[in-house]
Amino acid sequence: MKFTKSVGMGMMALLLVVSTACSSGNNGAANTDKPEATKSANAGASNAEAGAAEAYTFGEGQTFHSNEPVSYSMMYSDHENYPYKADWRLWSAIQEKTNVTFDLSITARTEYENQKSLLVNSGDAPYIIPKTYDESAFVASGQIVPVSDWVQYMPNYSKAVKDWGMEEDLKMKLRDDGKYYLLPGMWEIAGGGYSYIIRKDIFEAAGVDVEGEQGNWTYEEFAAALKKVKDFTGSPYVISDQFKGESALNIAAVQYGVTAGWGISNGLTFDQDKQQFAFADNSDDFKSFVGYFNKLVTDGILDPETFTQEDDAAQAKFFKGDTYAISGVYQVLADFKSKMQDPNAELYMITQPGGPKGKLQIENSRLENGIMISQNALDDLGEEGFIKMLRFIDWFWYSNEGQMLSLWGVEGETYTLDADGNVVLNPDIYYNGMNEGAPKQLNVDYGFAGGMFAYGGSEKLRLSKMTEGERDFMTRIQETREARKLIPPIMATAEESEQMKLISTPLMDYVKTMTLKFVTGQESLDNWDNYKAQVEANGSTRYTEMANEIFAKTKSLLGY
């Protein structure tokens, strides 16, 4: 295949991230070697390099600091649980270290995505657009900078990519031009993900050795343990789940080699050996998957209201002691414990059960939401000022110093370090299950540990925000569950994406509808052949063919 110059240049920039990490000396001067791929995009950038020493300090192991005060416009999602305050210590701490302030465009969290679309599409977007989960809708607008052309100016970002082997992860962000348009948060290790919180006291009273057995459970063995609890308690149901079943279906789908719930996406899985996509949600594996959940419903273990009730209804049943398992993330465990009506209730997060495809880790991506950079920043600041802003972003979001600041705050004010360098949160400050009952909160009262900035970092930083119990949960996953390879992105053009969307929307709506009907027994599995025929009629084969055609054209860019 013959690739366009822009595709080749974009991929060269990506591959050179790991070898061109810019670092400055004590005077802040930068390495002026630039990848060939970015010379045309960054014409005149040498002037930025020449002026860097006089204008600001930056680099690996250094604090970004502008000699002159500078302000950058930025979108800000105002979370109702820790509403924005102009006098948060976060803002003054950033300014003290860097001489940078923000001109914030503040929007309520619930309206953030709508406001983002409005500002970007109108050409009025602030320079920095954090907390972006999906940038795909904005790429074609021309209003977002292809940041892969510029990351060689970000030494801390480049170091993380190289040291943590993030190259494969970043390929997931590539667009059809071979570039990426989002600076993602990056973690050295993947997270634990969603699993089941159980009443350990009740399971053990029912004869289940939770700690001894849970690490080896398959879904069938998990069902057997749930059956013991049902027989012991006589409860109508053992699980009445929240999230309308989306979480439970998602975490089990991984172990069955299919897609469902939150992770249903386009129904495709990828065969790493054959190097091709296949439609999974009408396969024999999918039939086994929905059959498993149908049996849970039929046996009176899973409440069919799981798929229609609101979260607070599911939680109320668990808190009252009417049910004994519920899916969630570890961070809610302390809050759930405080709401249990039985004061002796002992809650425990089990390792996710395995299945026909093995005992696999649920989380396989180490990327978080990230930052888009508006074209306005490049237009208004010019190349020299634009690179300077990128180097501030590089320090704040990607250096260990910046990540420690955004998460834990100011050493000596909100936290200290023990003899081993571990974070000790001040006893009068609460965060993430630490210091229960403390009068202050790290995010509410200080602005640190918020969703706008505190994402990504080293394994040590990730573990530092966990209680002892959550660290144990993470350890159990890492020791007993196998890491999964990433599925390659489908690097479709805008036209191809639109064609595929026209197929996938009605196709996956049908799959989702029938999944719930099979699970709840509204549709018999005896009618499986009819279901398969309708999935085919809705375009599953054509969709899969298109995915494989696109992959064949672009796989060399992805290293296949």
Side-chain angles (χ1 to χ4, degrees):
M1 175 183 177
K2 183 177 179 180
F3 295 102
T4 65
K5 182 178 179 181
S6 64
V7 170
M9 290 171 62
M11 277 308 299
M12 188 182 297
L14 168 67
L15 295 174
L16 285 170
V17 165
V18 299
S19 61
T20 60
C22 300
S23 60
S24 63
N26 291 334
N27 64 357
N31 180 348
T32 57
D33 293 334
K34 293 183 280 293
E36 185 66 28
T38 58
K39 286 184 179 177
S40 61
N42 300 309
S46 58
N47 294 331
E49 299 287 353
E54 292 76 27
Y56 58 97
T57 57
F58 72 97
E60 183 183 326
Q62 293 197 63
T63 303
F64 176 95
H65 187 272
S66 174
N67 293 344
E68 298 295 329
V70 61
S71 180
Y72 297 125
S73 61
M74 181 172 67
M75 286 199 69
Y76 186 86
S77 175
D78 192 17
H79 201 293
E80 62 275 15
N81 291 342
Y82 43 96
Y84 164 82
K85 295 178 182 177
D87 62 351
W88 269 340
R89 183 66 177 100
L90 168 70
W91 309 124
S92 60
I94 294 171
Q95 185 175 12
E96 288 168 9
K97 281 185 172 289
T98 67
N99 213 7
V100 172
T101 56
F102 297 118
D103 177 13
L104 297 177
S105 175
I106 301 172
T107 306
R109 179 189 63 85
T110 53
E111 292 299 319
Y112 189 70
E113 294 304 318
N114 290 336
Q115 183 68 2
K116 183 189 303 180
S117 296
L118 178 64
L119 290 175
V120 171
N121 292 329
S122 66
D124 296 324
Y127 297 166
I128 304 172
I129 310 171
K131 201 179 179 182
T132 296
Y133 291 88
D134 184 3
E135 73 284 9
S136 57
F138 306 107
V139 171
S141 70
Q143 296 298 316
I144 300 300
V145 172
V147 289
S148 57
D149 282 350
W150 299 85
V151 292
Q152 75 274 14
Y153 296 109
M154 302 178 65
N156 293 291
Y157 177 92
S158 300
K159 184 179 190 304
V161 172
K162 180 178 180 180
D163 290 354
W164 302 342
M166 300 296 299
E167 296 88 349
E168 292 300 314
D169 302 72
L170 287 174
K171 288 177 183 177
M172 303 300 294
K173 305 307 297 179
L174 290 176
R175 314 308 303 179
D176 66 292
D177 59 2
K179 302 181 182 186
Y180 58 89
Y181 291 72
L182 183 80
L183 290 169
M186 299 184 293
W187 290 107
E188 183 178 6
I189 60 172
Y194 283 75
S195 188
Y196 284 99
I197 300 168
I198 67 168
R199 283 286 301 274
K200 186 169 181 275
D201 54 317
I202 299 299
F203 273 68
E204 290 181 337
V208 179
D209 178 11
V210 173
E211 293 192 38
E213 297 175 8
Q214 59 86 38
N216 297 316
W217 276 341
T218 63
Y219 269 97
E220 295 297 336
E221 290 163 332
F222 181 43
L226 295 169
K227 183 66 164 57
K228 286 184 178 181
V229 172
K230 180 176 177 64
D231 293 342
F232 173 74
T233 62
S235 178
Y237 302 105
V238 182
I239 303 174
S240 188
D241 210 7
Q242 56 182 342
F243 311 123
K244 296 187 177 179
E246 296 281 298
S247 170
L249 292 173
N250 178 51
I251 61 178
V254 169
Q255 314 295 351
Y256 280 82
V258 299
T259 73
W262 283 330
I264 192 168
S265 185
N266 53 20
L268 297 179
T269 55
F270 187 77
D271 188 316
Q272 298 285 351
D273 294 326
K274 295 180 180 179
Q275 292 194 8
Q276 64 182 23
F277 290 97
F279 193 79
D281 291 355
N282 64 347
S283 63
D284 290 343
D285 289 330
F286 194 74
K287 183 178 182 181
S288 297
F289 168 75
V290 293
Y292 172 82
F293 280 96
N294 174 253
K295 191 172 188 305
L296 290 184
V297 172
T298 302
D299 290 348
I301 291 172
L302 177 63
D303 182 359
E305 290 185 0
T306 285
F307 303 99
T308 56
Q309 68 190 351
E310 298 301 322
D311 292 355
D312 55 359
Q315 293 171 11
K317 295 172 185 177
F318 186 67
F319 298 154
K320 287 168 58 181
D322 293 338
T323 59
Y324 308 99
I326 190 169
S327 68
V329 288
Y330 199 95
Q331 288 82 357
V332 304
L333 195 135
D335 179 58
F336 278 19
K337 170 65 176 174
S338 70
K339 295 176 180 176
M340 301 301 294
Q341 292 188 13
D342 181 351
N344 297 315
E346 184 178 0
L347 304 188
Y348 184 85
M349 178 80 84
I350 67 167
T351 307
Q352 300 97 338
K357 301 303 178 182
K359 294 187 171 90
L360 306 173
Q361 290 183 13
I362 300 302
E363 297 292 326
N364 66 339
S365 174
R366 296 180 292 164
L367 302 183
E368 276 271 12
N369 64 86
I371 307 152
M372 294 192 300
I373 308 297
S374 167
Q375 180 66 32
N376 291 333
L378 183 56
D379 294 342
D380 295 349
L381 299 174
E383 290 168 348
E384 181 176 341
F386 182 74
I387 292 171
K388 179 178 178 179
M389 186 187 77
L390 286 181
R391 285 169 170 159
F392 164 74
I393 291 171
D394 178 65
W395 174 83
F396 187 42
W397 270 277
Y398 297 101
S399 75
N400 185 67
E401 182 184 20
Q403 290 166 342
M404 282 289 290
L405 176 66
S406 63
L407 176 58
W408 289 115
V410 180
E411 185 177 359
E413 294 184 32
T414 54
Y415 75 94
T416 57
L417 297 176
D418 66 17
D420 296 320
N422 298 314
V423 172
V424 180
L425 185 62
N426 285 10
D428 63 336
I429 300 174
Y430 170 83
Y431 172 64
N432 199 31
M434 303 174 192
N435 299 333
E436 289 282 354
K440 300 177 182 177
Q441 295 188 52
L442 190 60
N443 53 4
V444 174
D445 297 293
Y446 297 90
F448 303 115
M452 290 299 294
F453 310 126
Y455 43 84
S458 67
E459 177 178 3
K460 185 171 184 177
L461 186 67
R462 183 158 213 165
L463 294 178
S464 75
K465 58 190 285 191
M466 299 179 184
T467 61
E468 183 179 348
E470 187 175 1
R471 286 194 294 271
D472 171 67
F473 174 59
M474 285 284 293
T475 299
R476 283 185 274 127
I477 290 174
Q478 292 176 330
E479 291 180 349
T480 65
R481 295 296 180 263
E482 180 184 354
R484 295 185 294 137
K485 289 186 177 181
L486 294 166
I487 294 176
I490 300 172
M491 295 169 59
T493 64
E495 182 179 352
E496 289 168 336
S497 294
E498 185 61 29
Q499 292 174 1
M500 295 183 79
K501 184 178 179 181
L502 290 175
I503 299 174
S504 67
T505 299
L507 170 63
M508 299 316 296
D509 284 346
Y510 176 72
V511 170
K512 285 187 280 189
T513 297
M514 293 304 296
T515 297
L516 296 188
K517 286 187 175 183
F518 283 131
V519 167
T520 59
Q522 297 175 55
E523 183 75 27
S524 172
L525 284 167
D526 291 340
N527 296 324
W528 183 255
D529 288 343
N530 292 337
Y531 166 73
K532 289 183 66 175
Q534 188 59 48
V535 168
E536 168 65 26
N538 282 350
S540 60
T541 297
R542 179 57 190 144
Y543 188 88
T544 306
E545 289 173 348
M546 289 187 69
N548 283 317
E549 289 166 3
I550 293 166
F551 176 70
K553 291 189 296 183
T554 58
K555 65 181 182 180
S556 62
L557 291 175
L558 298 167
Y560 284 87

